[in-house]
């Protein structure tokens, strides 16, 4: 079953999709590039991939199917084992009686069809489909994991041998190691991790209570209860995670931190582990960091308009300091990595001191803080200054010594990027003064401060509505509504005659693909540019409120205003903006 170039040419010319000249040129290119004529036709944009596959199906007399929105039953799906389906791009999607319909990309792959026929003892009916259809069905192999999960837990938990509690007696290390290596425990922990990756979780919480173990996943910033496990599994799960993270098995009284990696065909994750003794045992929190994800651009993070321009202008400066602020989990490190991606040039030496190293970046010298052996942010930063850096990234300014060293580094001809834990941009200045940094040093080194939060993105299908009088009054407590309207007009989100009463906003709409109406997250920002006026205010030790008011007079867009701009654009919802600001 093969479509010959001459057959393809005849049908394409007959349908008027290409000219004789275009086909001849494509054939010539295909010969030079050692590719199929059909692949070059698609690459050159002469024909859409779906149209070409439909045409090939018609020539060969094989039906064409589109499975992009098709949901396949797990029983039919598993007729073809996942490794074969992935490596040969062939999936089973329908079974009736003794007939099994399979969708494939390569009609010449007769060996795979023969193999499936032998292993299933069914009559195989091949169908041609698109790569996106195959991807959609392959994704469903992972979704069957969800259905199986409860079954695995019930089945495996029953096989775990109970450990008798002995008062004031620590379990033997050898016993714990033995439990950690038992097959049921390995399966439970593996399934927990797979399920978290499938659900795009950023953290896994394993929390022991008096009668059971509660497992929660943080998805798009919200903690959700995933499942409860029998109490009997506690010591085994904790021991298994300790073995993977290379931690002390017999230490139950002190907190421990470690990390390990998991790898599959589709993903590679570095997992950061924190174990804390609590009243009912040991609580485990695992942070999942994807090693295959690429750094976002500043636009992808959510920086737009003047805010984006200010950040880009300050990144071009060879010296000074850029601070990113916000609470834990607000995406500060991701923003720093995006900045470093922009600055990452072969002619520049970028060095970092981080705790922990969240993403590996080529050409950047990354150091991991190890307080146990004396490698702190301060000592690491002191050593970095002797490494001839052009740009220094300090994961976090936590103490007086680190703050002083970072300021001095920016004074001596380096660009310093770092983070601080403050709620809004202007709050960083009193925080640095509180860390015993002289105000005149802050004013002469600080270039700009970027404060941020993360809001959930609305799914494509969302519900349009306008704000009522009572809703507008409630929102007015948090921001200046007139300023919001001015920004919306300036950003050309609404017309010049619009009022907030007729500006359309969007609500989440629940669907099968989007159970919450949200998927993924985006940043909302306020960018404070340290102008001459603000430098004078820093030297005079003005309060953060006074600095904030001055920055607003100079045109700074606050986080809530940025949030409302994104809400009016249909990126997020008003409720979501208020949720993260009110927190």
């Amino acid at each position: 079953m093969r479509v010959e170039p001459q057959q393809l040419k005849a049908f394409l010319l007959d349908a008027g999709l290409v000219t004789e000249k275009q086909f001849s040129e494509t054939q010539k290119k295909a010969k030079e590039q050692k590719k199929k004529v059909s692949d070059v036709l698609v690459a050159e944009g002469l024909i859409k991939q779906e149209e070409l596959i439909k045409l090939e199906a018609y020539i060969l007399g094989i039906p064409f199917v589109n499975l992009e929105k098709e949901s396949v039953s797990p029983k039919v799906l598993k007729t073809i084992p996942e490794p074969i389906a992935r490596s040969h791009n062939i999936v089973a999607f329908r079974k009736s009686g003794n007939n099994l319909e399979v969708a494939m990309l390569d009609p010449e792959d007769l060996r795979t069809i023969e193999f499936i026929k032998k292993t299933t003892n069914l009559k195989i009916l091949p169908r041609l489909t698109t790569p996106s259809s195959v991807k959609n069905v392959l994704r469903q192999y992972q979704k069957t994991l969800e259905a199986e999960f409860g079954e695995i837990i019930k089945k495996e938990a029953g096989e775990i041998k109970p450990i008798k509690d002995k008062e004031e007696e620590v379990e033997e290390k050898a016993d714990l190691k033995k439990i950690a290596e038992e097959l049921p425990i390995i399966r439970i922990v593996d399934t927990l991790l797979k399920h978290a990756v499938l659900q795009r979780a950023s953290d896994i919480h394993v929390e022991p209570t008096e009668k059971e173990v509660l497992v929660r996943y943080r998805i798009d910033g919200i903690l959700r209860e995933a499942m409860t496990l029998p109490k009997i599994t506690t010591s085994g799960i904790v021991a298994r995670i300790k073995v993977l993270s290379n931690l002390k098995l017999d230490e139950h009284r002190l907190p421990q931190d470690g990390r390990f990696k998991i790898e599959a065909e589709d993903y590679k994750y570095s997992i950061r582990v924190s174990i804390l003794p609590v009243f009912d045992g040991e609580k485990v929190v695992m942070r999942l960091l994807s090693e295959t994800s690429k750094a976002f651009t500043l636009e992808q993070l959510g920086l737009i308009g003047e805010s984006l321009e200010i950040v880009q202008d300050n990144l071009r400066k060879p010296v000074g300091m850029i601070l990113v602020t916000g609470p834990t989990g607000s995406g500060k490190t991701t923003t720093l990595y995006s900045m470093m991606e922009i600055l990452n040039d072969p002619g520049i030496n970028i060095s970092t001191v981080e705790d922990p190293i969240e993403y590996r970046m080529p050409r950047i010298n990354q150091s991991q803080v190890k307080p146990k052996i004396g490698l702190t942010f301060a000592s690491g930063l002191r050593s970095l200054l002797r490494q001839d850096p052009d740009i220094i990234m300090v994961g976090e300014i936590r103490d007086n010594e680190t703050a002083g060293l970072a300021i001095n580094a920016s004074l001596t001809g380096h660009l310093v990027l770092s983070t601080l834990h403050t709620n809004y941009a202007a709050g960083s200045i009193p925080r640095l003064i509180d860390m015993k940094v002289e105000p005149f040093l802050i004013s002469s080194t600080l270039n700009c401060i970027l404060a941020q939060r993360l809001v959930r993105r609305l799914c494509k299908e969302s519900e349009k509505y306008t704000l009522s009088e009572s809703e507008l009054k409630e929102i007015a407590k948090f921001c200046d509504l007139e300023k919001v309207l001015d920004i919306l007009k300036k950003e050309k989100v609404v017309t010049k005659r619009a009022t907030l009463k007729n500006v359309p906003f969007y609500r989440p709409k629940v669907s099968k693909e989007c159970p919450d109406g949200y998927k993924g997250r985006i940043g909302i920002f306020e960018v404070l540019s340290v102008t001459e006026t603000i430098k004078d205010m820093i030297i005079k030790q003005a309060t953060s409120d006074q600095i904030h008011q001055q920055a607003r007079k100079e045109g700074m867009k606050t986080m809530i205003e940025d949030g409302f701009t994104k809400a009016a654009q249909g990126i997020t919802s008003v409720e979501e903006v208020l949720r993260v600001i009110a927190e």
Side-chain angles (χ1 to χ4, degrees), residues 295-340:
F296 294 98
T297 63
L298 294 175
E299 292 89 338
Q300 284 171 330
L301 293 178
L303 273 163
I304 49 172
E306 281 179 31
S307 302
L308 177 64
E309 283 171 32
I310 293 166
V311 174
Q312 287 173 332
D313 288 345
N314 284 293
L315 284 172
R316 289 187 199 106
K317 292 178 183 176
V319 294
M321 183 186 272
I322 296 172
L323 283 179
V324 182
T325 78
T328 307
S330 60
K332 299 185 297 294
T333 309
T334 305
T335 303
L336 284 185
Y337 276 102
S338 298
M339 289 178 181
M340 288 197 292

Side-chain angles (χ1 to χ4, degrees), residues 155-162 179 182 184-185 188 232-233 235-236:
K155 193 179 164 192
E156 304 295 357
E159 291 178 29
I160 296 163
K161 299 173 187 80
I179 295 161
E182 278 183 0
I185 284 294
I188 288 172
I232 196 175
T233 61
S235 52

Side-chain angles (χ1 to χ4, degrees), residues 149-163:
F149 195 84
E151 210 49 51
I152 287 175
I153 297 302
K154 278 180 205 164
K155 193 179 164 192
E156 304 295 357
E159 291 178 29
I160 296 163
K161 299 173 187 80
I163 297 163

Side-chain angles (χ1 to χ4, degrees), residues 303 323-327 330 332 335 420 422-428 448-453 523-528 556-559 562:
L303 273 163
L323 283 179
V324 182
T325 78
S330 60
K332 299 185 297 294
T335 303
L420 259 185
T422 61
N423 286 330
Y424 59 108
S428 307
C448 90
I449 308 161
L450 189 147
Q452 67 179 73
R453 297 284 189 285
I524 56 171
F525 300 89
E526 67 181 32
V527 179
L528 191 155
M556 181 183 82
K557 182 163 65 170
T558 64
M559 256 186 292
D562 187 37

Side-chain angles (χ1 to χ4, degrees), residues 149-371:
F149 195 84
E151 210 49 51
I152 287 175
I153 297 302
K154 278 180 205 164
K155 193 179 164 192
E156 304 295 357
E159 291 178 29
I160 296 163
K161 299 173 187 80
I163 297 163
K164 288 173 187 172
D165 284 334
K166 295 178 187 175
E167 275 185 44
E168 300 299 316
E169 196 175 311
V170 176
E171 291 158 359
E172 288 298 313
K173 192 175 178 178
D175 290 348
L176 279 168
K177 199 164 191 323
K178 197 178 169 187
I179 295 161
E181 284 164 4
E182 278 183 0
L183 200 60
I185 284 294
I186 290 172
R187 277 190 190 143
I188 288 172
V189 174
D190 284 358
T191 315
L192 265 178
L193 293 166
K194 270 187 197 173
H195 197 43
V197 169
L198 171 67
Q199 294 216 12
R200 301 175 300 105
S202 60
D203 301 82
I204 305 169
H205 290 237
V206 181
E207 304 167 353
T209 62
E210 192 184 349
K211 291 175 181 171
E212 58 198 9
V213 182
L214 180 65
V215 178
R216 297 195 287 171
Y217 292 151
R218 189 177 291 281
I219 302 162
D220 292 337
I222 309 284
L223 260 181
R224 299 150 200 264
E225 204 167 299
M227 66 211 74
T228 51
L229 306 176
K231 182 74 175 175
I232 196 175
T233 61
T234 316
S235 52
I237 290 170
V238 175
R240 175 69 187 154
I241 293 163
K242 282 181 180 178
V243 165
L244 290 169
S245 319
N246 209 14
L247 299 174
K248 290 178 184 174
L249 279 171
D250 51 354
E251 179 56 83
H252 307 286
R253 296 168 302 167
L254 293 171
Q256 292 190 76
D257 294 314
R259 65 192 303 158
F260 64 93
K261 288 186 181 187
I262 55 166
E263 207 172 320
E265 204 174 307
D266 297 340
Y267 57 81
K268 192 176 178 182
Y269 278 84
S270 175
I271 294 171
R272 210 167 84 203
V273 177
S274 171
I275 296 176
L276 180 76
V278 291
F279 187 78
D280 287 300
E282 289 172 281
K283 181 188 171 182
V284 181
V285 176
M286 292 180 274
R287 165 69 54 91
L288 279 71
L289 303 161
S290 172
E291 291 197 352
T292 49
S293 64
K294 291 172 186 172
F296 294 98
T297 63
L298 294 175
E299 292 89 338
Q300 284 171 330
L301 293 178
L303 273 163
I304 49 172
E306 281 179 31
S307 302
L308 177 64
E309 283 171 32
I310 293 166
V311 174
Q312 287 173 332
D313 288 345
N314 284 293
L315 284 172
R316 289 187 199 106
K317 292 178 183 176
V319 294
M321 183 186 272
I322 296 172
L323 283 179
V324 182
T325 78
T328 307
S330 60
K332 299 185 297 294
T333 309
T334 305
T335 303
L336 284 185
Y337 276 102
S338 298
M339 289 178 181
M340 288 197 292
E341 188 68 31
I342 293 165
L343 298 164
N344 195 358
D345 186 87
I348 285 172
N349 176 15
I350 303 176
S351 295
T352 77
V353 54
E354 304 169 58
D355 182 25
I357 294 168
E358 296 204 357
Y359 305 102
R360 286 288 297 111
M361 289 188 86
R363 273 206 312 269
I364 289 178
N365 311 295
Q366 295 171 272
S367 309
Q368 166 81 48
V369 165
K370 291 181 184 122

Side-chain angles (χ1 to χ4, degrees), residues 103-116:
M104 58 201 298
L105 298 180
D106 184 6
E108 294 175 46
D109 193 2
L110 299 172
R111 284 178 65 187
T112 306
I113 289 176
E114 201 54 44
F115 170 78
I116 297 163

